[in-house]
Amino acid sequence: MQESVMQRMWDSAHLSGGNAAYVEELYELYLHDPNAVPEEWRTYFQKLPSDGSAATDVSHSTIRDHFVLLAKNQRRAQPVSAGSVSSEHEKKQVEVLRMIQAYRMRGHQAAKLDPLGLWQRPVPADLAINHYGLTDADLDTTFRTGGLFIGKEEATLREIRDALQQTYCRTIGAEFTHIVDSEQRSWFQQRLESVRGRPQFSPEVQGHLLERLTAAEGLEKYLGTKYPGTKRFGLEGGESLIPLLDEVIQRSGSYGTKEIVIGMAHRGRLNVLVNTFGKNPRDLFDEFEGKKVEGLSSGDVKYHQGFSSNVMTAGGEVHLALAFNPSHLEIVSPVVEGSVRARQDRRNDLSGDKVLPISIHGDAAFAGQGVVMETFQMSQTRGFKTGGTIHIVINNQVGFTTSRAEDSRSTEYCTDVAKMIQAPIFHVNGDDPEAVLFVTQLAVDYRMQYKRDVVIDLVCYRRRGHNEADEPSGTQPLMYQQIAKQRTTRELYAESLTSAVSHSADEVQAKIDDYRTALDNGQHVVKSLVKEPNKELFVDWRPYLGHAWTARHDTRFDLKTLQDLSNKLLEIPEGFVVQRQVAKILEDRQKMGAGALPINWGYAETMAYATLLFEGHPIRMTGQDIGRGTFSHRHAALHNQKDASTYLPLQNLYAGQPKFDLYDSFLSEEAVLAFEYGYATTQPNALVIWEAQFGDFANGAQVVFDQFISSGEHKWGRLCGLTMLLPHGYEGQGPEHSSARLERFLQLCAEHNMQVCVPTTPAQIYHLLRRQVIRPLRKPLVVLSPKSLLRHKLAISTLEDLAEGSFQTVIPELDTLDPKKVERLILCSGKVYYDLLEKRRAEERQDIAIVRIEQLYPFPEDDLAEVMAPYKNLKHIVWCQEEPMNQGAWYCSQHHMRRVATAHKKTLFLEYAGREGSAAPACGYASMHAEQQEKLLQDAFTV
Ligand code: AMP
């Protein structure tokens, strides 16, 4: 029955007493035995809210009654102290209840999860009746069932034990008793025990399962024959993933989900692309034949490619997006979360009902890579939550060549890390497709109801080696002897259906033939694929494509409006008491807005945000301490000294303004930066900023810079306008926290992939941030942002500088010098400029000009040439930097400067003034720092 038909019937139940009675009867029946009602109704009832909170107009008295019963049962299930019972029977009764609990907790350890049957696990002692002093003689004695959901309040010990074994020790291993919330634990008990871990599926559902398995197997066979020995990281052994994904999509679609973002590594990816996303097999074949994708300079291998499509579900059209993925396995998980959060923000989907993240993991990486833990940790935080992720582990029991358990982890399961956030975990034997289907339904329903992460551990195997060119028996001899004998999941399932006479052998063969024919004809093989997708479901990126990075855009802003916004930011709610130093900052800002005080960094940056919001651009900022700013210059979030409430002036500029989101992030760099990358690649209209507490904190996120930020556009055609603020400056604070490792970013720069800027005035950061959004170009922006410079008396601007002007890639000499007298030109970036300026002023030198290069990449050769042009009598040109010679901009940028210098005058030779090469970024002694600093300034004036 279609959902809509059921819905109509349900609705009409309120009009006609007859229908209502029928539906309630069905529901009653379902409560006692879910298998007794037709599957469509079962699905419907399963999705009904169980806490009564959202349920006001359906047969809810029944639901309420049911939960009263549930609670009652639970109370009964409380262990009774042995001393308080008298009769022998009552003592045994207590033991029976303890045994029930033991099965719920440890039944999974006796479950048959390994399709290869090679696991040798001791059965926990407390699953045997004799552990409780019970014997075979007690098997026919009747006991109360406590909270066991088997449809009766009393049953024989035999019935109870059998029900427990069936529920917890067949092909599903459920781990949920680590969840502290008792309502959630009851929810799982009810769902699992009431069907004894195995609902009955209709022949239609079984046929569909078989069809999906046939597709999964068929594609690998086809590719194996057509392209033997070519790497494809096949899914063989884990084919159940395809029906699993199908169910997640269809079921969440029926809940009203509109978008699903999937992240996965290479294993099985081609299969998912063709059989889940409906990628045209012909396009895949082209990739096997090495055809280049137009418009990408690098491109990527086929098993890293992302894809998008729309599919139809019972709840309407759903947009699917598969994230592009590098080889660094788990790093895509936080990227997916960020992309999902951006979509949820766009839809104002506060609960996470409309957009669902799915993360597909490998067993070894899930257990091994720390970013998994970081991603779990963010799952319920304000700034990063997405309403729960469905995690699927393709557990093929081998991490490349590392065998299970001995070397790859310290826990029994690869999924134990998920317990850190109390996520329920379902281990399921991949060779039991119906069990896989059932746990998938549970996972989706749980996620939709509780908005928390859930894990499906699909225990399967890898029929071939790590890839198709690899021979696995060399390292896993026994496992591969078994695999050689193992029949495929599809074969086993087809056989079970034919022997149960629900499907004929001809029907099974027809499915195989149909699939093969479709591939031969290069046809789409996803029946639910929408051929003309509804484009409203996703963002249109066309306005951001095809712009030259040199195109100039106006970042000026009307002075009067700027002042109005500035005043608005100072309006603080009645009774809100700000801290004394913060009050002083606000007082100064008031003066700056009135033109009575020169503008500092904090003010200019705040006004960049205010003006962008005014122009309709949302802003999202995250990072450790981003609200205050590590160096206490920002104070974008004010804290009431009376009651610790917070107030964000930028959220209160005007009614209906775009979102201004600011979150102090939890203490992670890798996952948070990856999240923001995912966010920025999904939301082009926003200013998205990640700030490192100190620039070198970005080290912990290096993989995100290397694999995504610097190369995503050229590998995958994915634009990204993410801005990263990395405090940088040599201030005698030691090897850590001095350097944002500028050299690393510059070394990654090529093909105009990103921007690296070192602004030195408040007006520069203002125009730079505005340029980042106003220009339709979307390129990552790395800003080496200041520390002491935030308060430097010379690092100031005027209101007019904000209202007029633009970001200057090169800032010419500011003092009035006679160009003809200038014989030495010092080029520099960042804070050292002010040291050089003060020295020159102190020495009253007229022959030295100092020019700041504020954008190191793309290097502004033309702008520099223009600035140098008046200096016709140059004898020396020097690059001065604070960083050691092997760091900073020297090695990566000197060729640009040389080119401009020799074009200016053939004999000009670029000299270096800076620290000697050094293994550490900076020295640890203040006196040594001061000496080095003095020397490099002196060198700039003399070399
Ligand atoms: P998605 O919702 O991620 O599936 O994206 C839908 C479509 O938007 C993709 O097929 C691309 O054409 C385009 N698109 C999405 N993200 C980007 C991006 N970061 N840069 C350029 N185009 C994008």
Side-chain angles (χ1 to χ4, degrees):
M1 198 186 307
Q2 287 297 308
E3 183 88 351
S4 56
V5 177
M6 281 197 310
Q7 187 63 55
R8 276 204 301 279
M9 194 159 169
W10 189 258
D11 293 343
S12 71
H14 302 287
L15 304 174
S16 128
N19 276 352
Y22 170 66
V23 173
E24 287 204 358
E25 222 170 82
L26 270 181
Y27 188 64
E28 271 300 329
L29 197 57
Y30 161 81
L31 288 179
H32 286 287
D33 180 4
N35 280 332
V37 301
E39 191 179 317
E40 295 76 10
W41 280 105
R42 188 165 67 229
T43 307
Y44 191 79
F45 292 140
Q46 281 163 355
K47 291 200 230 149
L48 288 176
S50 64
D51 63 0
S53 58
T56 48
D57 61 350
V58 281
S59 172
H60 305 136
S61 57
T62 321
I63 300 172
R64 261 198 313 279
D65 291 346
H66 166 61
F67 276 92
V68 168
L69 177 70
L70 199 161
K72 210 166 70 193
N73 283 340
Q74 238 185 308
R75 273 198 300 280
R76 281 207 203 131
Q78 297 301 317
V80 183
S81 105
S84 68
V85 289
S86 49
S87 78
E88 193 58 23
H89 181 78
E90 281 304 296
K91 278 188 194 153
K92 286 184 178 173
Q93 173 69 64
V94 173
E95 295 304 311
V96 169
L97 296 179
R98 283 182 57 215
M99 183 181 77
I100 293 173
Q101 275 316 101
Y103 268 91
R104 286 170 175 160
M105 288 171 74
R106 275 177 294 285
H108 58 87
Q109 288 180 288
K112 291 151 209 72
L113 301 177
D114 176 15
L116 300 175
L118 297 175
W119 290 11
Q120 288 176 351
R121 302 196 292 174
V123 174
D126 55 357
L127 299 186
I129 55 169
N130 55 13
H131 180 83
Y132 301 92
L134 302 163
T135 66
D136 285 354
D138 297 308
L139 283 173
D140 295 316
T141 310
T142 301
F143 292 96
R144 289 202 306 278
T145 54
L148 192 63
F149 289 87
I150 55 170
K152 44 181 161 180
E153 300 213 347
E154 292 191 334
T156 62
L157 177 60
R158 188 189 309 280
E159 282 177 294
I160 292 173
R161 185 199 58 185
D162 289 354
L164 288 167
Q165 284 187 343
Q166 286 166 359
T167 305
Y168 293 110
C169 305
R170 286 201 276 191
T171 47
I172 294 172
E175 288 192 271
F176 59 90
T177 53
H178 54 280
I179 300 174
V180 170
D181 180 42
S182 47
E183 185 199 311
Q184 291 182 39
R185 287 199 312 276
S186 287
W187 187 91
F188 281 116
Q189 286 162 18
Q190 194 269 331
R191 290 293 300 271
L192 287 161
E193 291 165 7
S194 61
V195 292
R196 305 204 176 183
R198 174 170 287 273
Q200 275 163 17
F201 292 106
S202 66
E204 291 75 47
V205 171
Q206 292 174 327
H208 182 66
L209 266 180
L210 182 62
E211 185 274 323
R212 296 280 69 204
L213 287 173
T214 307
E217 181 181 306
L219 183 78
E220 299 297 349
K221 279 203 166 138
Y222 195 90
L223 294 175
T225 316
K226 203 164 168 166
Y227 306 101
T230 309
K231 274 195 211 173
R232 62 187 144 88
F233 299 99
L235 186 60
E236 292 124 307
E239 286 92 342
S240 288
L241 176 71
I242 297 300
L244 188 167
L245 278 179
D246 185 72
E247 183 64 12
V248 175
I249 294 165
Q250 289 300 325
R251 200 166 178 95
S252 49
S254 75
Y255 274 103
T257 296
K258 294 287 162 229
E259 289 182 81
I260 297 177
V261 186
I262 304 181
M264 72 182 295
H266 43 266
R267 171 92 38 227
R269 197 174 174 101
L270 303 183
N271 215 307
V272 169
L273 281 167
V274 171
N275 286 324
T276 304
F277 280 76
K279 177 169 176 157
N280 193 324
R282 199 174 282 143
D283 295 339
L284 182 66
F285 302 153
D286 282 349
E287 287 167 17
F288 266 90
E289 278 145 33
K291 205 166 141 191
K292 183 177 175 305
V293 178
E294 288 310 317
L296 296 181
S297 66
S298 311
D300 203 348
V301 291
K302 52 192 168 296
Y303 38 84
H304 289 168
Q305 298 296 343
F307 200 72
S308 311
S309 62
N310 287 14
V311 294
M312 192 49 79
T313 71
E317 199 169 328
V318 173
H319 176 66
L320 305 178
L322 178 66
F324 289 85
N325 189 66
S327 280
H328 289 54
L329 303 174
E330 293 295 336
I331 189 65
V332 79
S333 309
V335 174
V336 164
E337 301 298 331
S339 176
V340 166
R341 178 69 179 242
R343 291 166 207 257
Q344 290 173 342
D345 284 351
R346 182 166 73 86
R347 295 172 170 278
N348 211 10
D349 173 22
L350 301 179
S351 59
D353 283 315
K354 298 276 179 285
V355 192
L356 172 75
I358 303 178
S359 261
I360 305 179
H361 313 266
D363 49 328
F366 195 63
Q369 299 199 336
V371 73
V372 174
M373 170 271 184
E374 291 189 21
T375 312
F376 274 126
Q377 196 60 269
M378 60 172 44
S379 64
Q380 293 293 320
T381 60
R382 269 191 323 133
F384 304 94
K385 68 178 167 197
T386 51
T389 300
I390 297 188
H391 298 269
I392 302 161
V393 181
I394 305 181
N395 181 354
N396 56 35
Q397 312 186 45
V398 188
F400 201 60
T401 61
T402 304
S403 291
R404 187 175 76 84
E406 293 100 80
D407 301 320
S408 59
R409 58 181 184 265
S410 300
T411 51
E412 178 171 6
Y413 296 114
C414 61
T415 50
D416 280 15
V417 66
K419 289 186 184 161
M420 63 175 271
I421 55 153
Q422 297 180 26
I425 300 161
F426 294 101
H427 311 281
V428 59
N429 186 321
D431 266 359
D432 184 348
E434 292 189 14
V436 173
L437 184 64
F438 177 50
V439 297
T440 306
Q441 295 178 344
L442 280 184
V444 174
D445 295 350
Y446 173 80
R447 188 274 177 190
M448 291 302 173
Q449 174 142 351
Y450 294 105
K451 300 292 185 298
R452 301 185 69 91
D453 288 29
V454 49
V455 180
I456 300 173
D457 176 20
L458 181 67
V459 185
C460 48
Y461 58 93
R462 202 182 65 182
R463 186 166 286 280
R464 312 200 178 274
H466 177 64
N467 61 52
E468 289 64 28
D470 183 33
E471 174 47 62
S473 57
T475 47
Q476 266 77 27
L478 297 185
M479 179 184 261
Y480 278 86
Q481 276 164 30
Q482 175 56 36
I483 290 175
K485 290 184 262 169
Q486 186 89 3
R487 297 172 64 210
T488 69
T489 312
R490 185 203 61 81
E491 284 167 352
L492 293 170
Y493 190 54
E495 189 182 271
S496 77
L497 294 187
T498 45
S499 56
V501 213
S502 59
H503 283 70
S504 70
D506 286 349
E507 284 170 318
V508 170
Q509 188 58 40
K511 284 188 165 51
I512 298 174
D513 296 342
D514 289 352
Y515 188 79
R516 205 184 161 87
T517 311
L519 288 188
D520 277 340
N521 297 337
Q523 285 165 355
H524 294 283
V525 292
V526 172
K527 295 199 179 81
S528 54
L529 186 72
V530 178
K531 299 282 160 44
E532 289 190 10
N534 174 4
K535 295 200 171 61
E536 310 254 296
L537 289 175
F538 50 87
V539 173
D540 183 4
W541 278 78
R542 279 172 305 178
Y544 304 93
L545 302 176
H547 299 282
W549 76 271
T550 42
R552 297 203 184 262
H553 287 271
D554 195 350
T555 55
R556 291 174 304 167
F557 191 85
D558 174 64
L559 180 58
K560 169 79 179 57
T561 319
L562 188 136
Q563 287 179 305
D564 288 348
L565 291 172
S566 169
N567 289 333
K568 187 78 196 153
L569 290 174
L570 298 169
E571 286 174 16
I572 286 158
E574 273 289 305
F576 194 100
V577 181
V578 289
Q579 191 248 4
R580 201 164 42 80
Q581 282 107 321
V582 179
K584 168 81 172 77
I585 287 173
L586 299 183
E587 218 175 275
D588 286 351
R589 286 188 186 171
Q590 194 266 326
K591 291 182 192 152
M592 291 175 203
L597 201 65
I599 281 166
N600 67 11
W601 201 278
Y603 180 85
E605 198 194 302
T606 307
M607 292 317 298
Y609 304 139
T611 52
L612 285 172
L613 289 166
F614 183 81
E615 288 167 334
H617 302 285
I619 295 176
R620 175 182 164 89
M621 302 175 69
T622 62
Q624 295 144 8
D625 202 13
I626 195 154
R628 179 188 67 148
T630 296
F631 311 99
S632 272
H633 80 288
R634 183 172 295 125
H635 292 290
L638 305 178
H639 299 266
N640 191 341
Q641 299 300 294
K642 283 204 299 208
D643 60 7
S645 58
T646 49
Y647 176 75
L648 280 77
L650 285 161
Q651 284 178 346
N652 294 282
L653 281 174
Y654 63 93
Q657 70 167 78
K659 270 165 85 74
F660 175 77
D661 284 333
L662 175 134
Y663 298 104
D664 287 336
S665 74
F666 72 116
L667 221 147
S668 139
E669 289 84 28
E670 184 176 350
V672 171
L673 183 61
F675 185 101
E676 300 307 334
Y677 171 82
Y679 196 102
T681 46
T682 311
Q683 165 48 302
N685 186 36
L687 176 65
V688 184
I689 293 181
W690 176 71
E691 181 172 65
Q693 200 169 39
F694 285 93
D696 58 342
F697 281 34
N699 291 348
Q702 193 63 40
V703 59
V704 187
F705 287 106
D706 288 355
Q707 260 66 24
F708 291 97
I709 292 171
S710 62
S711 53
E713 181 182 344
H714 296 79
K715 291 191 294 194
W716 314 315
R718 283 302 195 257
L719 306 178
C720 175
L722 181 62
T723 298
M724 287 136 287
L725 302 180
L726 311 181
H728 174 88
Y730 279 62
E731 286 154 8
Q733 300 297 308
E736 316 306 325
H737 308 343
S738 290
S739 172
R741 310 306 305 237
L742 170 62
E743 61 282 359
R744 300 229 189 111
F745 295 105
L746 292 176
Q747 189 259 334
L748 289 172
C749 287
E751 302 182 84
H752 298 151
N753 56 343
M754 54 185 189
Q755 312 155 80
V756 179
C757 294
V758 198
T760 54
T761 72
Q764 281 286 84
I765 187 71
Y766 170 87
H767 287 292
L768 179 60
L769 290 173
R770 284 179 52 72
R771 180 182 85 162
Q772 182 68 354
V773 188
I774 289 170
R775 220 166 38 163
L777 200 69
R778 289 296 171 261
K779 296 273 181 191
L781 167 63
V782 174
V783 182
L784 297 212
S785 57
K787 291 149 51 178
S788 66
L789 210 58
L790 292 167
R791 291 183 183 77
H792 198 288
K793 61 184 186 309
L794 295 175
I796 49 175
S797 302
T798 64
L799 273 181
E800 288 67 32
D801 291 335
L802 305 195
E804 299 298 322
S806 62
F807 176 71
Q808 293 172 277
T809 56
V810 179
I811 304 186
E813 170 59 56
L814 286 188
D815 288 354
T816 329
L817 304 175
D818 178 357
K820 286 202 274 320
K821 291 196 184 135
V822 172
E823 294 186 351
R824 174 175 290 262
L825 180 67
I826 303 177
L827 304 177
C828 63
S829 286
K831 166 189 145 281
V832 73
Y833 164 74
Y834 291 100
D835 296 343
L836 291 164
L837 181 67
E838 283 175 326
K839 183 176 168 68
R840 192 198 56 203
R841 285 182 181 170
E843 294 180 11
E844 296 181 355
R845 298 281 295 262
Q846 298 293 313
D847 59 331
I848 299 176
I850 310 172
V851 164
R852 280 169 278 178
I853 297 176
E854 304 262 306
Q855 178 174 290
L856 282 163
Y857 193 84
F859 194 92
E861 290 189 24
D862 292 346
D863 293 344
L864 178 59
E866 201 180 311
V867 164
M868 277 176 70
Y871 305 117
K872 304 281 185 222
N873 300 322
L874 281 184
K875 291 192 179 130
H876 303 280
I877 180 166
V878 185
W879 166 254
C880 178
Q881 67 176 33
E882 293 183 303
E883 299 86 352
M885 191 184 226
N886 55 323
Q887 299 166 34
W890 176 237
Y891 284 146
C892 282
S893 304
Q894 56 173 277
H895 60 291
H896 294 292
M897 296 183 250
R898 281 197 204 292
R899 202 149 44 215
V900 179
T902 38
H904 181 81
K905 192 172 175 184
K906 267 207 166 52
T907 52
L908 268 185
F909 181 75
L910 185 71
E911 304 279 358
Y912 171 79
R915 288 182 164 81
E916 298 290 318
S918 160
C923 66
Y925 312 104
S927 58
M928 195 174 181
H929 165 80
E931 250 169 60
Q932 289 177 347
Q933 193 78 5
E934 182 54 40
K935 178 169 182 311
L936 72 91
L937 295 176
Q938 190 55 32
D939 285 352
F941 279 53
T942 51
V943 286

